[in-house]
Each structure stands twice: as C-alpha cells, then as structure tokens.
C-alpha cells in the first residue's frame, strides 16, 4: 500500500492550477506551460507562456509568475515560496528562480532539450551558486506531457496545411 505524504495532495492541487494556466497559453497558440507560486498556502503569482503574443523572449510562465509574486510580497526575494510549473524550467528561468531565492520548485514533465533543474543542467542545485532549491519532479507529469504533445501535433498539422501546395 502506498501512503501519501501530507504535501503530495497539496502538490497535485497547485499543479492542477498550473495546468489551468498552461491551458490559457494553449488557447492563444502559445506553448502550453503554466506556473503558480505559493506562499503560506496562498497563490501569490501566476503565469503562462506569452512569448509570441508579447514578442518577448523572457515572457515565460515562470518569469511572469515571479514578477507577480515579487510585486505581491514587495520583495525580490521569494524565500518560503514554492513554484509549481508544468514543464521543467529552462536555464533562463532557473537562473531567475535562484536569484529570487525560491525555496522549492515542483515541476510536472522533465525537459530533455532545455531542462535546467536536473535533466540537462542543474542550475537550481548548483553548489557554486549562493542559493539552492528543493526540487520535486513528476507531479501530474502525464497530464502536462499530454497537453504539450497535443499542442505540437496541432502546430505541425497547421504548419503542414499552410505550406501544402494549393
């Protein structure tokens, strides 16, 4: 029999919120990645990818959620906060996580192409840096991976249809 730890239900609850943010991105044809930041059991930051619609390469879900959480706390330091994100953060986002001093990162799906929380790089736990995060991976991984696969299948179909001879 498998016993749930007290935080596991909470992790799934907040990851479902991050998946709802990812759905917002998918509705506007952005890569469906969503993030929420939690402090003392309250969501204080939310974000979803908006790089295309804002024409801003830094408009990743994590960065937008970090900005919102920092404004909420009136601080650039997010000690005691947990970031929930549907895909493993890239090196830019992992750097921002370290600079913001986020205590814990929970992500759904690993990213073999650009994951920087243990898969390709490990910025968030690099002993040479002045802050390290606790990492939890795989929470609702299948849900996130399915959403990403669906998005890219549809993107390929749309791309093929627009380049097909008329």
């Amino acid at each position: 029999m498998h016993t749930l730890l007290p935080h596991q239900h909470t992790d799934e609850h907040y990851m479902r919120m991050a998946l709802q943010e990812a759905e917002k991105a998918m509705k506007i044809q952005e890569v469906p990645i969503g993030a929420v930041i939690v402090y003392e059991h309250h969501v204080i930051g939310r974000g979803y990818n908006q790089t295309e619609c804002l024409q801003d390469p830094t408009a990743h879900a994590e960065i937008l959620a970090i900005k919102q959480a920092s404004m909420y706390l009136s601080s650039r330091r997010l000690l005691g906060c947990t970031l929930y994100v549907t895909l493993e953060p890239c090196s830019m986002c992992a750097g921002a996580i370290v600079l913001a001093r986020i205590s814990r990162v929970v992500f759904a799906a690993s990213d073999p192409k650009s994951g920087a929380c243990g898969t390709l790089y490990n910025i968030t736990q690099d002993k040479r840096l002045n802050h390290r995060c606790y990492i939890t991976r795989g929470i609702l991984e299948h849900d996130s991976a399915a959403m990403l696969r669906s998005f890219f299948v549809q993107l390929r179909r749309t791309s093929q249809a627009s380049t097909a001879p008329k």
Side-chain angles (χ1 to χ4, degrees):
M1 180 130 176
H2 199 226
T3 305
L4 288 177
L5 297 172
H7 66 81
Q8 284 180 312
H9 174 72
T10 303
D11 285 350
E12 284 190 16
H13 173 76
Y14 292 120
M15 189 60 75
R16 287 191 197 291
M17 290 181 164
L19 284 164
Q20 289 173 344
E21 293 298 312
E23 287 172 2
K24 293 176 185 177
M26 194 151 77
K27 286 179 182 171
I28 60 170
Q29 284 79 50
E30 293 276 357
V31 177
I33 300 171
V36 295
I37 296 179
V38 177
Y39 179 70
E40 296 180 350
H41 306 288
H42 293 92
V43 175
I44 62 168
R46 295 175 186 270
Y48 56 92
N49 272 14
Q50 297 181 57
T51 57
E52 294 299 326
C53 68
L54 296 177
Q55 288 300 294
D56 179 353
T58 68
H60 288 201
E62 302 95 320
I63 300 295
L64 298 173
I66 288 169
K67 286 180 181 183
Q68 198 174 86
S70 294
M71 287 177 56
Y72 180 88
L73 292 178
S74 299
S75 176
R76 66 182 180 85
R77 294 194 174 159
L78 301 178
L79 289 167
C81 291
T82 299
L83 167 69
Y84 293 86
V85 61
T86 58
L87 184 67
E88 181 178 1
C90 68
S91 56
M92 174 185 69
C93 293
I97 289 163
V98 169
L99 291 173
R101 311 285 199 279
I102 291 174
S103 299
R104 183 170 175 243
V105 175
V106 179
F107 64 86
S110 296
D111 185 352
K113 292 183 180 179
S114 62
C117 294
T119 300
L120 186 60
Y121 305 107
N122 200 357
I123 293 170
T124 53
Q125 294 184 316
D126 191 319
K127 289 181 168 82
R128 296 169 295 180
L129 300 175
N130 62 354
H131 177 77
R132 283 166 293 290
C133 308
Y134 293 102
I135 302 294
T136 303
R137 60 177 64 224
I139 303 296
L140 300 179
E141 177 178 11
H142 297 292
D143 299 45
S144 177
M147 187 182 299
L148 286 159
R149 267 193 309 277
S150 171
F151 173 79
F152 285 111
V153 164
Q154 183 59 40
L155 187 66
R156 279 190 289 280
R157 282 186 193 142
T158 304
S159 177
Q160 289 169 352
S162 67
T163 59
K166 304 208 183 208

